[in-house]
Amino acid sequence: MKPAPPLDPDETGEEAAYFKELVDTGAMVVVVLRTGERLRGQMRYYDRDMFSLGQVEGPKLFLRKSSVRYLYEE
């Protein structure tokens, strides 16, 4: 019998649950892009491919998840 393949975060629902928690609590996050640039703000919206970050000073941004290296809560 073959072992099951590793689960994709989208398939487990864990990523969606984490993003929903960030939106619901209004937590401040830092997003590090693949270019090394860091953006700070509140998670406003998310879907399978992108999310919206409301910056403290500046416009609301829509970011593709594929352009993000990682993010963390402050």
Side-chain angles (χ1 to χ4, degrees):
M1 184 185 227
K2 257 173 104 173
L7 291 175
D8 183 329
D10 287 336
E11 293 176 12
T12 64
E14 291 298 316
E15 180 180 274
Y18 180 63
F19 279 128
K20 181 177 182 341
E21 180 183 330
L22 292 175
V23 170
D24 290 348
T25 62
M28 294 299 293
V29 296
V30 175
V31 178
V32 180
L33 302 177
R34 292 190 183 275
T35 63
E37 183 179 0
R38 293 173 185 262
L39 304 171
R40 180 178 181 267
Q42 287 182 303
M43 190 78 67
R44 303 282 183 175
Y45 165 83
Y46 67 93
D47 67 21
R48 184 176 180 167
D49 299 316
M50 60 191 323
F51 61 91
S52 174
L53 188 69
Q55 293 188 308
V56 175
E57 294 180 17
K60 293 178 184 163
L61 302 172
F62 281 90
L63 302 167
R64 291 201 177 277
K65 290 179 182 177
S66 61
S67 68
V68 175
R69 186 177 296 163
Y70 61 93
L71 65 85
Y72 59 90
E73 295 178 64
E74 285 195 315

